[in-house]
């Protein structure tokens, strides 16, 4: 795979689109197989499998196909005036062969999602699916070679020994989703080979119900849905509820009612409620419930007697605790990652804030239910977290316009949409500066630094100017010749002024006028290019659309997408409704 990557063919727009289209075809053509595998591994019904696993990946692929050309475009940035003329840009280039280590709770979404981002960024990928979901792992092992060349995407199955062996290699990026404990091991192993790593972990995500709440029924429906989907095995599922004492009794009644309605009073035999990934995980939840019951917590819904370890079934259990009496319980200290929802009351919103701040670690998400915007902002400013949601649960995970990722103990790095593309891309800094005596500024920056002692020395003067002079905005590639001419004239005037005041004023006005035009050209040029695209509109990505290539030589048209790269020349779909210019 590294030999294939070294040929640089993965840099092209055409190669990336081909791989993402292959992923899209694989998902849409084998939807029933994925649904069956998810039913086997996690007891997911077909609707939940499609909602939480398959449809999200299809939408990811479609977004990449729609927006990849604009994502690949290099980003022009401004430069210090004292370094002018200098043309600065950030190029988004592939990192190399990447490793994606998938989790068991969403074995399709959280495995193939990073793969789609990696392919969009031009990286070959090795997939290590979770060994706890053998049906999905076997399906990926069967399908991937059918839709991808082995040097592009490969699957390695196994458990700890195989993962350890994979981590002995150097990777362009390691993307791991899982527990904090294993995440620390992966990060340590990646450090040994100097491989960058992204950790998508978890933690105890709090849900705060404030004194001023929104509509009660809608709020409780959203809470129960967020806790019961995938049998509670969601890294951003609410782990515990801090409810203002004013609303506690009504909230508990309405949550019980929501649970009753959603599963028609029989969660055990409902097709819409899944199973835990293994008996060992179910046994862990059973042990936590037994410990809590023996400590005297109030079981509002569920209970250990309803848990069936052999069937991997744990119902949604709501337990009411006293944080002062029950602080040593496992449900108060471990990430639950299952159907148990801890509930306790607080006397004020400030008490909720203080409790969340004192819990070890940083949560992956915080959920706040309040009708008061000021209360929400106070919580947002007081309690750090990976994500923050007001008046809903989980849905921020499915929004590609938002970056998804943790903070501190809940992980680092981001995924989804353009954020995932940038994660799997190297942000290469490029500075292009003409080399001419006119732009040397009398050698201010060169030793010896005691030149021009009338102004304190050339070195000190250079430092003062660097600190005082402003930055200039990005200069569009088409305006670089105009910029160089106008800037060169200005420098020449300062070195050898023309004879006569009138001539000096004429030259000064001309040069400053050209500089002004240059600074404003970015706006005018964009407007003119929009008109050009509207005149030559030829449609979207499908059907061999014509591309417009921009370089220092101007605009050209081409039907050749094979050689589209991200190297100082970028291509745009004409007529793109998103304005890729």
């Amino acid at each position: 795979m590294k030999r294939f990557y070294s040929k640089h063919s993965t840099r092209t727009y055409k190669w990336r689109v081909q791989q993402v289209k292959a992923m899209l075809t694989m998902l849409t053509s084998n939807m029933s197989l994925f649904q069956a595998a998810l039913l086997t591994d996690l007891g997911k019904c077909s609707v939940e499998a499609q909602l939480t696993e398959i449809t999200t990946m299809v939408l990811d692929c479609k977004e990449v196909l729609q927006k990849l050309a604009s994502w690949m475009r290099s980003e022009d940035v401004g430069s210090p005036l004292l370094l002018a003329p200098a043309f600065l840009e950030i190029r988004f280039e592939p990192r190399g062969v990447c490793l994606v280590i998938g989790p068991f709770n969403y074995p399709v979404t959280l495995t193939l999602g990073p793969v789609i981002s990696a392919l969009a960024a031009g990286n070959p990928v090795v997939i290590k699916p979770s060994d706890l979901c053998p049906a999905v792992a076997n399906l990926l092992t069967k399908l991937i070679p059918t839709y991808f060349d082995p040097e592009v995407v490969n699957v390695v199955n196994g458990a700890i020994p195989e993962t350890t062996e994979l981590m002995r290699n150097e990777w362009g990026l390691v993307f791991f989703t899982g527990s904090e404990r294993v995440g620390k091991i992966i990060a340590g192993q990646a450090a040994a080979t100097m491989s960058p790593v992204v950790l998508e972990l978890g933690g105890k995500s709090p849900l705060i119900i404030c004194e001023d709440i929104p509509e009660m029924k809608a709020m409780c429906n959203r809470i129960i849905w967020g806790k019961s989907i995938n049998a509670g095995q969601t890294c951003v599922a609410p782990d515990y509820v801090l409810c203002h004492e004013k609303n506690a009794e009504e909230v508990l009644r309405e949550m019980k009612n929501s649970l009753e309605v959603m599963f028609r009073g029989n969660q055990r035999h409902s097709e819409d409620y899944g199973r835990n990934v293994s008996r060992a995980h179910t046994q862990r939840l059973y042990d936590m419930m037994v410990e809590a019951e023996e400590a005297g917590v109030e079981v509002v819904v569920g209970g250990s007697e309803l848990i069936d370890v052999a069937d991997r079934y744990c119902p949604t259990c709501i337990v009411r605790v006293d944080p002062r009496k029950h602080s040593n319980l496992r449900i108060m200290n471990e990430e639950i990652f299952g159907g148990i929802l801890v509930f306790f009351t607080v006397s004020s919103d400030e008490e909720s804030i203080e409790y969340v701040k004192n819990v070890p670690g940083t949560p992956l998400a915080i959920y706040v239910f309040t009708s008061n915007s000021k209360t929400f902002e106070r919580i947002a400013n007081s309690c750090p977290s990976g994500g923050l949601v007001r008046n809903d649960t989980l849905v921020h995970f499915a929004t590609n316009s938002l970056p998804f990722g943790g903070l501190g103990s809940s992980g680092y790095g981001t995924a989804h949409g353009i954020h995932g593309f940038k994660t799997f891309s190297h942000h290469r800094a490029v500075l292009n500066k003409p080399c001419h005596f006119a732009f040397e500024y009398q050698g201010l920056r060169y030793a010896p630094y005691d030149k021009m002692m009338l102004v304190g020395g050339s070195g000190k003067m250079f430092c003062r100017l660097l600190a005082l002079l402003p930055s200039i905005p990005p200069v569009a590639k088409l305006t670089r010749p105009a910029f160089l001419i106008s800037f060169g004239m200005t420098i020449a005037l300062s070195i050898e002024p023309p004879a006569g005041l009138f001539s000096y004023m004429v030259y000064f006005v001309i040069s400053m006028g050209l500089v002004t035009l240059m600074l404003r050209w970015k706006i005018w040029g964009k407007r003119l290019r929009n008109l050009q695209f509207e005149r030559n509109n030829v449609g979207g990505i499908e059907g061999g659309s014509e591309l417009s290539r921009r370089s220092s030589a101007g605009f050209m048209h081409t039907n050749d997408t094979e050689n589209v790269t991200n190297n100082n020349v970028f291509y745009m779909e004409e007529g793109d409704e998103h304005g890729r210019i």
Side-chain angles (χ1 to χ4, degrees):
M1 295 181 82
K2 289 185 176 181
R3 283 196 298 270
F4 170 75
Y5 173 76
S6 66
K7 298 177 181 178
H8 304 298
S9 58
T10 69
R11 289 175 171 264
T12 65
Y13 174 85
K14 181 178 179 179
W15 184 90
R16 302 181 193 201
V17 167
Q18 286 176 342
Q19 310 316 314
V20 177
K21 283 184 177 180
M23 180 68 73
L24 179 59
T25 303
M26 185 184 79
L27 290 166
T28 54
S29 301
N30 300 280
M31 194 171 294
S32 60
L33 295 179
F34 279 106
Q35 290 172 331
L38 290 165
L39 178 63
T40 300
D41 287 335
L42 291 164
K44 288 190 178 185
C45 67
S46 60
V47 175
E48 184 176 327
Q50 190 161 345
L51 173 66
T52 63
E53 301 268 14
I54 304 168
T55 300
T56 54
M57 293 299 93
V58 170
L59 293 176
D60 274 6
C61 291
K62 290 182 177 180
E63 181 185 27
V64 170
L65 294 176
Q66 183 184 28
K67 300 178 180 179
L68 180 59
S70 63
W71 292 355
M72 289 177 64
R73 184 185 67 182
S74 58
E75 179 184 341
D76 293 327
V77 294
S79 62
L81 182 57
L82 193 58
L83 297 183
F87 307 104
L88 283 62
E89 63 179 331
I90 302 171
R91 298 179 184 176
F92 302 104
E93 301 186 348
R95 286 181 173 271
V97 181
C98 296
L99 173 64
V100 173
I101 304 176
F104 69 79
N105 57 331
Y106 291 90
V108 176
T109 294
L110 296 181
T111 301
L112 296 186
V115 173
I116 293 169
S117 296
L119 294 173
N123 305 291
V125 189
V126 172
I127 302 174
K128 168 57 183 69
S130 173
D131 59 297
L132 295 177
C133 293
V136 172
N138 291 335
L139 181 60
L140 290 176
T141 304
K142 175 184 176 182
L143 293 179
I144 290 294
T146 305
Y147 292 90
F148 296 94
D149 292 333
E151 65 267 19
V152 176
V153 183
N154 226 314
V155 179
V156 175
N157 285 300
I160 295 176
E162 289 75 15
T163 304
T164 302
E165 189 62 32
L166 285 171
M167 291 303 299
R168 297 185 193 279
N169 298 287
E170 181 181 350
W171 301 96
L173 181 75
V174 177
F175 196 105
F176 170 80
T177 304
S179 67
E180 179 183 348
R181 179 184 64 83
V182 180
K184 291 178 179 179
I185 298 173
I186 294 295
Q189 293 173 332
T193 59
M194 297 298 289
S195 299
V197 62
V198 170
L199 300 178
E200 296 284 6
L201 309 178
K204 295 182 75 66
S205 295
L207 188 148
I208 301 173
I209 301 176
C210 300
E211 182 176 5
D212 298 317
I213 59 172
E215 180 184 331
M216 178 67 72
K217 184 175 182 179
M219 177 182 73
C220 292
N221 281 338
R222 295 177 183 186
I223 295 172
I224 292 299
W225 176 81
K227 187 61 179 179
S228 62
I229 198 165
N230 200 28
Q233 300 167 107
T234 306
C235 55
V236 287
D239 191 278
Y240 60 97
V241 177
L242 301 104
C243 182
H244 193 282
E245 59 187 7
K246 169 186 171 183
N247 305 308
E249 300 303 327
E250 188 178 0
V251 167
L252 286 172
R253 283 197 302 271
E254 194 58 48
M255 285 201 298
K256 290 173 62 177
N257 184 62
S258 296
L259 194 60
E260 185 81 10
V261 171
M262 286 185 191
F263 299 103
R264 297 185 175 93
N266 192 346
Q267 194 173 21
R268 171 69 183 268
H269 296 100
S270 172
E271 294 182 355
D272 299 326
Y273 189 73
R275 293 296 183 266
N276 293 309
V277 70
S278 68
R279 293 180 180 178
H281 283 71
T282 312
Q283 183 66 49
R284 172 180 169 273
L285 295 173
Y286 175 81
D287 293 342
M288 295 172 78
M289 274 300 301
V290 169
E291 180 195 45
E293 290 168 348
E294 291 176 349
V297 304
E298 177 188 352
V299 180
V300 179
V301 176
S304 61
E305 70 278 3
L306 299 179
I307 299 176
D308 187 339
V309 175
D311 189 36
R312 300 180 293 150
Y313 169 74
C314 177
T316 302
C317 303
I318 303 175
V319 293
R320 189 171 185 174
V321 303
D322 184 337
R324 291 174 292 274
K325 294 180 181 179
H326 304 131
S327 60
N328 293 326
L329 295 179
R330 293 176 65 187
I331 59 173
M332 298 291 287
N333 295 283
E334 298 179 19
E335 180 183 6
I336 294 173
F337 214 74
I340 304 171
L341 182 62
V342 177
F343 183 98
F344 54 92
T345 60
V346 292
S347 58
S348 66
D349 296 336
E350 290 300 327
E351 186 178 346
S352 295
I353 292 173
E354 288 304 312
Y355 184 89
V356 172
K357 288 167 61 177
N358 290 325
V359 172
T362 306
L364 186 55
I366 294 178
Y367 304 105
V368 181
F369 283 85
T370 178
S371 58
N372 190 311
S373 297
K374 291 183 177 179
T375 300
F376 174 75
E377 291 301 328
R378 188 167 71 253
I379 295 172
N381 294 329
S382 302
C383 304
S385 65
L388 178 66
V389 180
R390 178 183 177 187
N391 296 338
D392 212 333
T393 61
L394 271 62
V395 291
H396 68 298
F397 174 80
T399 307
N400 276 358
S401 54
L402 290 174
F404 180 80
L407 177 68
S409 62
S410 55
Y412 44 80
T414 55
H416 296 177
I418 189 173
H419 312 287
F421 169 83
K422 289 186 175 181
T423 291
F424 280 94
S425 298
H426 169 55
H427 298 207
R428 192 176 190 182
V430 179
L431 188 150
N432 184 358
K433 185 176 175 65
C435 187
H436 195 276
F437 79 95
F439 307 129
E440 292 294 85
Y441 308 111
Q442 299 295 311
L444 283 178
R445 60 173 170 159
Y446 304 136
Y449 299 117
D450 57 358
K451 303 186 296 287
M452 305 179 187
M453 290 307 296
L454 289 176
V455 292
S458 55
K460 291 183 178 180
M461 174 60 70
F462 186 82
C463 292
R464 284 196 293 268
L465 291 174
L466 191 61
L468 294 174
L469 292 178
S471 294
I472 59 174
V475 179
K477 293 180 177 66
L478 286 176
T479 65
R480 289 183 180 180
F483 176 80
L484 291 173
I485 293 171
S486 59
F487 201 83
M489 288 178 62
T490 305
I491 296 299
L493 285 172
S494 65
I495 296 174
E496 295 185 18
L501 179 62
F502 178 76
S503 298
Y504 187 89
M505 292 177 63
V506 170
Y507 280 111
F508 182 79
V509 170
I510 292 174
S511 60
M512 289 300 101
L514 288 172
V515 171
T516 303
L517 288 176
M518 177 276 299
L519 293 176
R520 298 193 62 186
W521 179 264
K522 188 177 183 182
I523 300 173
W524 297 344
K526 181 175 182 179
R527 196 168 301 156
L528 291 172
R529 292 195 296 276
N530 274 328
L531 292 175
Q532 180 190 21
F533 292 160
E534 291 172 6
R535 185 170 63 250
N536 299 313
N537 186 7
V538 292
I541 291 176
E542 298 292 338
S545 62
E546 188 175 9
L547 294 176
S548 176
R549 185 176 80 170
R550 193 179 88 180
S551 69
S552 57
F555 280 91
M556 293 172 284
H557 296 284
T558 177
N559 289 316
D560 177 21
T561 59
E562 184 174 2
N563 296 316
V564 180
T565 70
N566 196 30
N567 293 328
N568 207 28
V569 178
F570 60 82
Y571 290 69
M572 296 155 285
E573 294 291 336
E574 294 200 356
D576 183 13
E577 63 180 358
H578 294 279
R580 299 174 190 163
I581 64 173

